[in-house]
Amino acid sequence: MGEIEVNYGSTLPTESLKVIAESVGIGNLSDDAAKEISDSATYRLKLVLQESKKFMMHSNRCKLLPSDIDNALKVFGIEPIYGFHAKEHVPFRYASGGGRELHFIDDKDIDLIEFVNAPLAKLPLEISIRCHWLAIDGVQPTVPENPPSVSKDVQKLECVDPLNKLKKPIDKEVSGRPSTGKAQKLRNVETVHVKQLATHELSVEQQLYYKEITEACVGSDESRRAEALQSLASDPGLHEMLPRMCTFIAEGVKVNVVQNNLALLIYLMRMVKALLDNPALYLEKYLHEIIPSVVTCVVSKQLCMRPEIDNHWALRDFASRLMAQICKMFNTPTNNVQTRITRVFTNATNSDKTALPSVYGALEGLAELGTETIKVFVIPRVHMISDRLDSPEVTQNNVDRISGNQIKHLLCKILTPVLKITHSPPDNLEEYKKEFGSVGVQLHAAVCKARVTTTTQSTSNQTVTQTNTQSRTVVGRPVAQTTSNTGNPQKYVLMSQRPVVTQTPPNKTVYISQQSIKSEFQDPSN
């Protein structure tokens, strides 16, 4: 009991106050002044602790928190102590010497070498101000900075349940009903008022925007086309114009396939890509116009005026990637988009009457749908396609011969990663010929090369790892290792860069002349 009474009536030590005074620049603090300050500070601390205890008790806690002390300080009109809310326990270390006893926080040691050699932080971006319209005459404009007028969820709900619009209250004046206030009974005449589910009336501004966008997307100015595609990919206010955009794409593909206008077909597919990338649009209601247009650019017999020169293969590859993206975004157990598209591509590869460019597009489309599609629908038909490519009808025709070479190159590209996994080494050339026909020679060489490349990369990685662990290296100069007492000569280790195995694809540069447009491209998506 005596110890408790002593602690209850204790005050702050004068030695501690002198140390605090020295820390703030007061060197010679007298004992009487320290005694007075100690009594006053002790009284104030007891008041703060008593008030803090009240907050603790009212919070039904048995542990005093720093927040309780902050609240007590606020009650007394004192600025709270911020920055001491530590989640972890803050230990204090004890030290004594020179007749003084101190408690201090143990700071961690900082390695200056690591601090100096650490990579520099990225420079922050410069502050810039950009303005946009929040509202014009009380109407919020549809710009990327503002939320879309019709969200994607609402568009999806209208697509799944078109009758949802009928559940909304309809104005009597708009619907055409009499506004007399009483419901008049019509005895002999039945009047039916039909309201269209979706109105597609565009304002003058929207009509002007539609005209400018379509002209820019299919025009000859590449800078305007890039701005138009960026607007299609990011503008949230295209919901009402989306039916007309899809109709424009569908009709444009129909006309330009007949005219074999490769450049405009590429521009239209880039429009489809921009609409698919727009996060504010839901295109499922318009797949009946988009999918036939994209499939046409994949498996059409002829897409350009000079199939032996023009690079229509790039358009087929790009359209195949678009088709795979559509299947990934909109395939459901109800519509079975991917199953139906796979059936279309498979029928094109099965028929002997299908043109070879169409076979190329169908194979590329199946390859973009995934590895399992390649295993099930492509590999079993390679032998049949190989026999057709070796027929005299194909070898004697220049266009068919070029198409056959493209198909062989495509088969090697898409089948090599799959065969490297499904076929265990060693690879037998005769087995490849028996399974895949004449294409088996190229497939065997490609698979063997892929295995050698993989082995070389793994071996080089192991070698570099062992070298780094066993030797001492310095960039840019040899390092002399310390010699032993036996008189061995010095050893010099030169740092060598890690070998990188790369395959440089051949550059494809094709000049397309359509309506005095001369363009050079490798991928329509660029």
Side-chain angles (χ1 to χ4, degrees), residues 128-175:
S128 60
I129 299 176
R130 181 181 178 184
C131 59
H132 66 89
W133 289 102
L134 290 177
I136 301 175
D137 294 335
V139 180
Q140 177 178 281
T142 53
V143 295
E145 290 77 10
N146 292 333
S149 56
V150 181
S151 64
K152 198 170 184 179
D153 296 333
V154 175
Q155 298 179 39
K156 185 176 181 180
L157 180 60
E158 293 177 0
C159 176
V160 177
D161 186 13
L163 297 178
N164 183 57
K165 274 196 171 184
L166 295 180
K167 299 178 183 178
K168 300 179 180 179
I170 302 175
D171 190 7
K172 293 182 179 181
E173 298 294 340
V174 176
S175 62

Side-chain angles (χ1 to χ4, degrees), residues 186-393:
L186 302 177
R187 299 178 181 177
N188 299 327
V189 181
E190 293 183 358
T191 305
V192 179
H193 298 275
V194 179
K195 178 177 173 61
Q196 190 178 0
L197 291 181
T199 58
H200 300 294
E201 297 179 358
L202 301 182
S203 62
V204 178
E205 293 80 6
Q206 290 175 332
Q207 295 177 17
L208 180 61
Y209 175 85
Y210 172 79
K211 177 176 177 294
E212 294 293 333
I213 284 291
T214 52
E215 290 180 356
C217 287
V218 298
S220 58
D221 191 350
E222 186 62 31
S223 60
R224 286 190 62 200
R225 183 181 302 108
E227 294 178 359
L229 294 176
Q230 179 64 25
S231 177
L232 290 179
S234 60
D235 199 332
L238 300 179
H239 170 63
E240 296 182 358
M241 285 178 283
L242 194 55
R244 288 174 169 79
M245 290 287 182
C246 296
T247 303
F248 174 79
I249 294 172
E251 295 298 327
V253 170
K254 291 178 183 178
V255 173
N256 290 282
V257 164
V258 175
Q259 296 180 356
N260 297 326
N261 196 332
L262 179 63
L264 291 180
L265 291 175
I266 292 174
Y267 301 154
L268 293 173
M269 289 299 102
R270 293 175 68 180
M271 289 183 65
V272 175
K273 174 65 175 175
L275 293 177
L276 289 175
D277 293 341
N278 194 325
L281 299 180
Y282 190 73
L283 300 178
E284 187 170 353
K285 288 196 295 186
Y286 313 103
L287 293 182
H288 63 283
E289 292 182 333
I290 294 178
I291 290 180
S293 303
V294 177
V295 173
T296 299
C297 294
V298 176
V299 297
S300 181
K301 180 179 179 180
Q302 186 172 349
L303 297 173
C304 55
M305 297 296 294
R306 300 173 298 175
E308 69 279 359
I309 299 177
D310 296 338
N311 189 10
H312 60 96
W313 315 105
L315 174 59
R316 299 182 191 272
D317 297 342
F318 181 52
S320 299
R321 292 194 293 271
L322 287 181
M323 197 69 253
Q325 183 179 356
I326 292 173
C327 293
K328 183 178 180 180
M329 295 174 61
F330 303 105
N331 183 51
T332 61
T334 304
N335 55 31
N336 291 323
V337 171
Q338 184 166 345
T339 304
R340 295 157 68 181
I341 294 301
T342 304
R343 186 182 298 114
V344 171
F345 291 156
T346 306
N347 293 337
T349 57
N350 288 339
S351 177
D352 295 336
K353 298 181 181 179
T354 306
L356 291 182
S358 301
V359 175
Y360 175 91
L363 292 174
E364 180 66 23
L366 292 173
E368 293 292 339
L369 293 178
T371 305
E372 295 299 325
T373 307
I374 297 175
K375 293 179 181 179
V376 177
F377 297 102
V378 177
I379 292 179
R381 293 169 176 80
V382 174
H383 196 289
M384 180 189 69
I385 296 174
S386 177
D387 294 340
R388 183 182 177 186
L389 298 180
D390 295 336
S391 62
E393 298 177 356

Side-chain angles (χ1 to χ4, degrees), residues 392-494:
E393 298 177 356
V394 175
T395 56
Q396 294 176 2
N397 190 345
N398 186 27
V399 178
D400 291 343
R401 185 171 64 253
I402 295 175
S403 302
N405 294 333
Q406 291 288 340
I407 292 175
K408 291 179 180 179
H409 178 71
L410 176 64
L411 289 174
C412 292
K413 183 180 71 173
I414 65 177
L415 295 182
T416 299
V418 179
L419 296 178
K420 188 176 67 173
I421 299 174
T422 57
H423 288 59
S424 58
D427 299 302
N428 191 353
L429 180 59
E430 297 300 328
E431 293 180 358
Y432 275 77
K433 289 182 179 180
K434 183 178 179 180
E435 184 177 0
F436 304 111
S438 61
V439 185
V441 179
Q442 299 179 5
L443 290 175
H444 176 266
V447 172
C448 293
K449 184 178 180 181
R451 295 188 192 278
V452 171
T453 303
T454 305
T455 305
T456 304
Q457 289 180 350
S458 60
T459 304
S460 62
N461 293 341
Q462 294 177 0
T463 304
V464 171
T465 303
Q466 294 177 359
T467 304
N468 291 336
T469 56
Q470 295 178 1
S471 62
R472 179 183 172 197
T473 59
V474 174
V475 177
R477 55 177 182 153
V479 177
Q481 294 183 348
T482 305
T483 58
S484 60
N485 296 329
T486 57
N488 293 332
Q490 293 182 349
K491 297 181 180 180
Y492 291 86
V493 180
L494 296 177

